[in-house]
Amino acid sequence: MRNLVTAVTVVMTCLLTGTAVSACGTADERSADEILDDANDTMRGLKSVRIDMTTEATKGGTVTTRFATDLDDRCRSKVIWSEGGTLEQIRIGTTDYVRPDRKYLQKWNGDTSVRGDQKLWLKSPVDESKDREKGLASCERPFDSFGKATKGRTTRVDGRDALSVTVTDKADKGGTYTFYVATEGKPYLLKTVYEGTEYSTTTSFRDFDAPLDIQAPKAAEVLDKKGLTD
């Protein structure tokens, strides 16, 4: 009888707390490194994913990115700066289509001659070596493990159970990464949070393997950079 009472008590504790404890038979015995490795393997195996990212500088200012990708050579992104400016990009194979708005051209490129709305996409060959300096995104994502990982607690991320893993890296003094890995179904990476001395970034992942409809802009909306330089 005592064993039955104990068993019932354990079950009720699991239901009420919603936490993974060893007595409930649901404790995750994997190490922090193993959890991240499983999550990265799962993410690398995806055919598509949507990524939402917000970066806030400690001195003020926010950059928001909306990104959809097949993790290969087809993706679309939109970057918005709180100080003003929007940059859109479509990458299909070896071709980029880029559309900065008027505020972006005026503030970040110093082009004060632009007065009206910018509706044209600039077409150019992909040059990944200059992606960063041009503010463009690569369709690929590495999903690699790094640093020293420590397993945290279970929590909820967008309505899904997740386990947190905190990572610190010697190469980033003062910076801390927290990864949230799904514990229901496949171990998707649901969210990452970076807290640094100069900025913080929250990245959310969703629509795993959902169909993507990424097409080139209409021909009438495209200005070919090659024609401008010939």
Side-chain angles (χ1 to χ4, degrees):
M1 183 64 178
R2 181 177 299 176
N3 290 339
L4 177 59
V5 172
T6 301
V8 171
T9 301
V10 169
V11 172
M12 290 302 295
T13 300
C14 293
L15 293 175
L16 291 174
T17 62
T19 57
V21 296
S22 58
C24 302
T26 57
D28 196 326
E29 301 297 335
R30 295 173 299 167
S31 68
D33 289 328
E34 290 172 334
I35 292 170
L36 287 182
D37 287 343
D38 288 346
N40 288 328
D41 287 342
T42 300
M43 298 300 285
R44 284 194 292 265
L46 291 174
K47 299 301 181 183
S48 68
V49 65
R50 293 185 184 274
I51 304 172
D52 301 323
M53 182 168 60
T54 300
T55 298
E56 297 183 18
T58 55
K59 295 182 179 180
T62 302
V63 181
T64 303
T65 303
R66 301 288 180 263
F67 185 61
T69 177
D70 67 357
L71 297 173
D72 185 17
D73 63 356
R74 200 176 193 92
C75 56
R76 179 167 186 159
S77 71
K78 185 175 184 178
V79 185
I80 303 172
W81 284 262
S82 60
E83 298 97 331
T86 299
L87 180 65
E88 295 178 85
Q89 174 195 358
I90 298 174
R91 177 167 293 183
I92 299 176
T94 58
T95 301
D96 268 332
Y97 300 89
V98 181
R99 181 167 66 180
D101 71 354
R102 174 172 52 86
K103 289 184 178 180
Y104 178 93
L105 291 173
Q106 290 177 341
K107 185 174 183 64
W108 302 106
N109 280 17
D111 189 349
T112 58
S113 65
V114 180
R115 299 299 180 187
D117 291 336
Q118 163 61 11
K119 297 182 179 180
L120 294 178
W121 295 82
L122 182 63
K123 178 182 177 181
S124 63
V126 170
D127 185 355
E128 294 186 353
S129 65
K130 296 183 179 180
D131 277 352
R132 184 176 294 275
E133 67 181 65
K134 293 189 294 184
L136 300 183
S138 169
C139 298
E140 300 177 356
R141 284 292 181 271
F143 294 115
D144 291 330
S145 299
F146 61 93
K148 181 181 179 181
T150 304
K151 187 159 57 173
R153 298 181 178 181
T154 56
T155 186
R156 299 280 288 179
V157 176
D158 295 331
R160 303 180 68 165
D161 289 338
L163 183 62
S164 64
V165 177
T166 301
V167 174
T168 55
D169 190 20
K170 291 181 179 179
D172 184 7
K173 295 182 179 179
T176 301
Y177 300 81
T178 303
F179 297 82
Y180 296 88
V181 180
T183 58
E184 297 175 321
K186 293 183 178 181
Y188 294 122
L189 181 59
L190 301 178
K191 184 172 72 172
T192 65
V193 177
Y194 171 76
E195 295 287 349
T197 56
E198 297 183 356
Y199 66 91
S200 63
T201 300
T202 298
T203 306
S204 299
F205 303 87
R206 59 186 174 89
D207 295 347
F208 307 104
D209 280 334
L212 285 182
D213 184 19
I214 299 176
Q215 305 294 332
K218 296 179 181 178
E221 299 176 345
V222 174
L223 187 63
D224 197 330
K225 185 177 180 180
K226 182 179 180 181
L228 297 176
T229 56
D230 286 347

